[in-house]
Amino acid sequence: MGCPSAGEDERRYKIKTVSQSREATQATAAIARLRLGHPTLSAHLHRLRLFPDHFCPWCRTTSETTEHFLLHCPRFHTHHTALRSRLSALAITTLHLPPFLRPLAFTPPGNLLSFTSLV
């Protein structure tokens, strides 16, 4: 087997680029849904009568709210630890979600940008 042709490399690169842009779009959409108060979490979907219950699918005893998902769910413990570590490095010691999730026009500079780059 020889080296891949230029066309094969080009196809691989395009697929990777499309995949990365799709992931970026999905992440941006997820952050927007969180900030607008319309996450695709069980508690919200249950309130809209689109989901049978409001419990976290991993905990099954706790309501899957934005706060639970971002800060407390044991399923994402390593992510929570990384988030707290990065926030600590930015001298943010108390984590109160509303300032991080409210629209940019009402957010003090730095806080939202720091949080969104961490998520």
Side-chain angles (χ1 to χ4, degrees), residues 104 106-114:
L104 186 58
F106 302 108
T107 304
N111 286 343
L112 178 67
L113 297 175
S114 300

Side-chain angles (χ1 to χ4, degrees), residues 55-56 58-63:
F55 295 110
C56 172
W58 295 280
C59 301
R60 298 303 308 157
T61 58
T62 306
S63 185

Side-chain angles (χ1 to χ4, degrees), residues 59-71:
C59 301
R60 298 303 308 157
T61 58
T62 306
S63 185
E64 189 185 30
T65 62
T66 301
E67 181 175 347
H68 172 76
F69 176 74
L70 291 176
L71 303 176

Side-chain angles (χ1 to χ4, degrees), residues 14-69:
K14 285 182 181 177
I15 290 169
K16 188 174 183 181
T17 303
V18 168
S19 173
Q20 287 174 345
S21 68
R22 185 174 297 137
E23 289 173 6
T25 301
Q26 289 173 343
T28 301
I31 291 169
R33 284 192 303 271
L34 286 170
R35 291 177 63 202
L36 293 170
H38 295 284
T40 54
L41 300 174
S42 298
H44 180 71
L45 296 175
H46 178 69
R47 197 172 323 122
L48 298 174
R49 298 173 192 241
L50 298 173
F51 207 72
D53 63 48
H54 61 92
F55 295 110
C56 172
W58 295 280
C59 301
R60 298 303 308 157
T61 58
T62 306
S63 185
E64 189 185 30
T65 62
T66 301
E67 181 175 347
H68 172 76
F69 176 74

